Amino acid sequence: MPVSKNASSQLTNPRIKELQVKIQDEKYISYAVERIALIVSRQLVEKRNSRSPEKLY
């Protein structure tokens, strides 16, 4: 299947290349996962704290 011009330009995009290098770095991935977990857990706590007490289980 031929590669479209748009897909081809994405492969040469400097940002894509930068991210491809970063995802090979174990420390980068570990930090990214920890950061995502922190953000999600904060949002869950904020959402839970914003509920009225009778809605908490």
Side-chain angles (χ1 to χ4, degrees), residues 1-46:
M1 176 158 47
V3 177
S4 70
K5 185 176 182 180
N6 190 24
S8 177
S9 66
Q10 287 179 348
L11 294 175
T12 59
N13 183 326
R15 180 71 174 139
I16 299 295
K17 288 182 180 181
E18 177 186 349
L19 291 172
Q20 287 173 334
V21 170
K22 285 183 175 183
I23 64 171
Q24 301 303 315
D25 181 357
E26 189 176 319
K27 288 180 182 178
Y28 176 83
I29 296 299
S30 178
Y31 175 78
V33 169
E34 287 181 30
R35 182 76 177 126
I36 292 167
L38 176 64
I39 292 168
V40 170
S41 63
R42 281 183 181 171
Q43 289 177 346
L44 290 172
V45 168
E46 288 173 7

